[in-house]
Amino acid sequence: GRGGPSEADLPPVAPLKQSENRWQRPTADADEVASTLRQINGILNKLTLEKFDTLSQQLVSIGINSKEVLRGLIRLVFDKALSEPKFSQIYADLCTLLSRDSVCPAFTDDDGSQLSFRRVLLNKCQEEFENEPNTEKMESMAEEERQEYIAKFKRRTLGNIKFIGELYQARLLQANIVIHCIQRLIADPSDEANLESLCKLLTTIGKQLDQGEGGKIVSVVLDQLHGIKDTLSSRIRFMIMDLSDLRDNAWVPRRDDDGPMTIEEVHREARRKDQAQARAISRSADALPHM
């Protein structure tokens, strides 16, 4: 050696003791996170087409400063989109804004992986898509409660499908993801719940997917649906026929879609319904025999 002590000559090293003020990975304060999420929820509750620009900027100004807030934000937006499918386009537009790095920076998770807005949102959609009804839980329910559970599960499933379609339209999801969803939904031709979801998804994304290579997939799927439609209930059969008509009409619906309405459109629709009801009452009165 170089004259220094050998490894055998060195005294034993005492194990390191953890000091009370040692460095720890910082975690967000739970009360602060809860307060931030309450603010976010309050803004989401007021979100409309007219107020989108103002309220989305308010949301951005809150600041997404921790992974806990990021996850909470996505959970709130996701649940809103699924429970209010008529407004899923607005929530998809909001996600486009929030997915910018300048708005929602990526955070490092406990396992060292990167948590970006887009990644967490995609995982949330995938988890919901693969979710199945809890049959064990349903067995312990009364009939009325079971029917309510099934109806709620179906609404949430269709809401997720609509939201996935809108996220694809907003280019937050890639074509291979929605194609995977399509393949899963048509895998069992006897599963009418999945076939209904498939029709809803293609109604939303058909126009965009039908361009280029995606057109082949749309054609194959429609051929498959037509091949099995006579074995299905009349409700699903009509959905398939409507889907074919929609494609034949260059994906332009023959009647107004059920997308979000502005406040003025809501008032106009209410006035139209009131006038139609008044005319119906008037016609009924005229039809009564005169004494």
Side-chain angles (χ1 to χ4, degrees), residues 38-70:
R38 278 195 298 271
Q39 279 183 275
I40 290 170
N41 197 44
I43 292 171
L44 292 176
N45 284 337
K46 294 181 282 188
L47 197 63
T48 61
L49 275 175
E50 294 97 332
K51 296 178 180 177
F52 180 84
D53 290 342
T54 304
L55 291 176
S56 60
Q57 287 308 314
Q58 281 185 28
L59 195 56
V60 168
S61 68
I62 287 175
I64 315 304
N65 56 11
S66 71
K67 65 187 179 197
E68 291 81 7
V69 172
L70 174 66

Side-chain angles (χ1 to χ4, degrees), residues 210-235:
D210 210 4
Q211 299 167 5
E213 290 297 307
K216 294 176 184 175
I217 292 156
V218 175
S219 295
V220 168
V221 170
L222 282 174
D223 285 345
Q224 285 181 269
L225 289 173
H226 277 289
I228 61 172
K229 76 174 189 293
D230 291 339
T231 66
L232 305 170
S233 67
S234 57
R235 194 172 68 87

Side-chain angles (χ1 to χ4, degrees), residues 134-150:
N134 189 331
T135 50
E136 190 176 324
K137 183 179 178 182
M138 286 167 62
E139 285 173 4
S140 62
M141 294 177 179
E143 180 59 26
E144 188 177 341
E145 187 184 3
R146 189 183 303 117
Q147 293 301 324
E148 189 178 328
Y149 173 84
I150 292 169

Side-chain angles (χ1 to χ4, degrees), residues 192-212:
E192 293 204 352
N194 276 357
L195 295 180
E196 180 177 358
S197 292
L198 176 60
C199 290
K200 295 279 186 186
L201 181 59
L202 286 174
T203 299
T204 304
I205 68 171
K207 185 174 183 178
Q208 189 169 323
L209 187 63
D210 210 4
Q211 299 167 5

Side-chain angles (χ1 to χ4, degrees), residues 246 249-257:
L246 186 60
N249 201 40
W251 300 102
V252 178
R254 298 186 190 281
R255 55 186 180 275
D256 290 341
D257 67 6

